[in-house]
Amino acid sequence: MKKKPYPFWLGGVAATIAASITHPLDLTKVRLQASGDKRMVQSIKKTVRTAGVRGLFDGISGTWLRQMSYSMCRFWAYDESKKLLGAGKDAPAWKLALAGSMAGGIAGFVGNPGEIVMVRLQGDFAKPPEKRFNYKHCFDALFRMVREEGVSSLARGVGPNVFRAVLMNASQLASYDFFKAELLKTGHFEDNIACHFTASFAAGTVATTVCSPADVLKSRIMNASGPGSNSTLAVIRSSMQSEGAMFMFKGWVPAWTRLQPTTILIFLTLEQLKNGVDWSRKKGWDIL
């Protein structure tokens, strides 16, 4: 009997839980990329000093919007892409990476508005008061963007965002599946938390390195507000002139520090949610 597929929204729920826990680190990463702050600890202290501990959770509604649009879409699209390509559990790395790239392209486009809202909400307090957006929450941000900047503003930075999403999913989702399959082949691991943790740790490191350039560009473009300032070439040119080529890896340490636990939490949570679905189905509670 063919196993019933898991609910399409499991990935979105797992990502939302993980992102909520690691939100302070993600907030710090965005502020490092978009501002003149030099060090992670310095940036965290600055946030606490100016906005209190609650300031570490600035823009949390934007994070939830982003995860329940972008992340839900990418996990669903990845599973569908694997079916389309015939990529089973022992599929070669290139086929998994292709499925991840396809999923990233779709999710990056669908989740772009949520991505902009998240970046703007997180980066607001790093700006001078006169340059802040002062959005109340994610829905206020969406409505005001459409009203003040036009519907086209929802597509700001969509090119780098889709490119980054392709890189992220080709590296994170595909490498997790690849490492998990390889670990199970060794005979030293079973399909349990130890295996999931090791595979997700490796996937997080790969994904951080691959995605850093696109991540920095995305944050800088989406935070730009002046006319002509959101051009990808304009951002690259000005950043190269003032900081050199290594600007593409600015914030790598906080990005890794944030993405590593996020990646681990996402996959550990997702695997446990799947176990919960399996358990409920065995009990005859076929509501999922």
Side-chain angles (χ1 to χ4, degrees):
M1 182 178 174
K2 189 177 179 181
K3 188 175 181 180
K4 186 178 176 182
Y6 292 105
F8 74 93
W9 43 263
L10 279 191
V13 172
T16 301
I17 293 170
S20 298
I21 295 171
T22 60
H23 182 78
L25 294 174
D26 197 24
L27 181 74
T28 303
K29 181 206 70 168
V30 170
R31 289 180 176 176
L32 275 172
Q33 291 174 346
S35 71
D37 292 343
K38 302 294 183 185
R39 298 180 182 278
M40 187 173 120
V41 174
Q42 177 191 50
S43 184
I44 291 173
K45 285 181 178 177
K46 180 180 175 182
T47 298
V48 174
R49 187 172 65 250
T50 56
V53 175
R54 285 183 61 185
L56 294 173
F57 291 90
D58 282 341
I60 189 74
S61 67
T63 296
W64 292 337
L65 176 66
R66 188 245 189 181
Q67 298 303 338
M68 291 307 289
S69 55
Y70 164 73
S71 287
M72 185 183 293
C73 183
R74 76 183 177 120
F75 278 99
W76 167 80
Y78 181 58
D79 287 338
E80 293 302 313
S81 296
K82 285 196 293 184
K83 291 177 191 173
L84 189 66
L85 296 170
K89 64 178 182 176
D90 293 320
W94 70 265
K95 194 172 277 192
L96 294 172
L98 180 57
S101 299
M102 292 165 64
I106 296 167
F109 180 79
V110 170
N112 199 69
E115 191 83 27
I116 299 172
V117 168
M118 182 189 75
V119 168
R120 288 191 173 188
L121 283 170
Q122 290 179 355
D124 224 23
F125 278 95
K127 296 179 177 181
E130 67 276 7
K131 291 186 178 181
R132 292 176 186 171
F133 294 107
N134 292 316
Y135 299 136
K136 296 175 184 174
H137 45 70
C138 62
F139 298 113
D140 179 52
L142 283 174
F143 295 144
R144 280 184 51 193
M145 280 177 64
V146 172
R147 187 173 69 243
E148 297 168 11
E149 302 173 53
V151 177
S152 63
S153 66
L154 299 177
R156 174 178 283 228
V158 69
N161 191 41
V162 168
F163 179 57
R164 188 247 185 202
V166 168
L167 293 177
M168 172 59 75
N169 288 280
S171 57
Q172 188 191 52
L173 298 186
S175 61
Y176 174 76
D177 277 352
F178 175 77
F179 287 126
K180 180 181 173 183
E182 291 301 308
L183 288 170
L184 291 173
K185 285 178 189 175
T186 65
H188 299 298
F189 286 89
E190 295 180 7
D191 192 358
N192 56 20
I193 288 179
C195 176
H196 305 156
F197 178 88
T198 306
S200 58
F201 186 92
T205 302
V206 171
T208 304
T209 306
V210 170
C211 296
S212 183
D215 206 18
V216 173
L217 284 174
K218 172 184 70 72
S219 291
R220 294 190 178 194
I221 289 168
M222 288 181 174
N223 258 307
S225 55
S229 62
N230 63 327
S231 158
T232 303
L233 287 177
V235 170
I236 292 174
R237 194 181 301 115
S238 63
S239 298
M240 286 284 284
Q241 287 173 351
S242 60
E243 302 170 67
M246 288 306 291
F247 88 89
M248 291 186 290
F249 293 94
K250 186 175 183 182
W252 188 93
V253 172
W256 180 85
T257 307
R258 189 273 310 180
L259 187 61
Q260 194 63 276
T262 300
T263 301
I264 292 168
L265 284 168
I266 285 174
F267 288 114
L268 290 184
T269 304
L270 181 59
E271 297 282 6
Q272 293 307 309
L273 288 173
K274 287 180 177 179
N275 289 341
V277 171
D278 290 338
W279 179 81
S280 70
R281 287 174 178 173
K282 285 179 183 176
K283 292 287 186 179
W285 305 335
D286 200 6
I287 56 174
L288 299 173

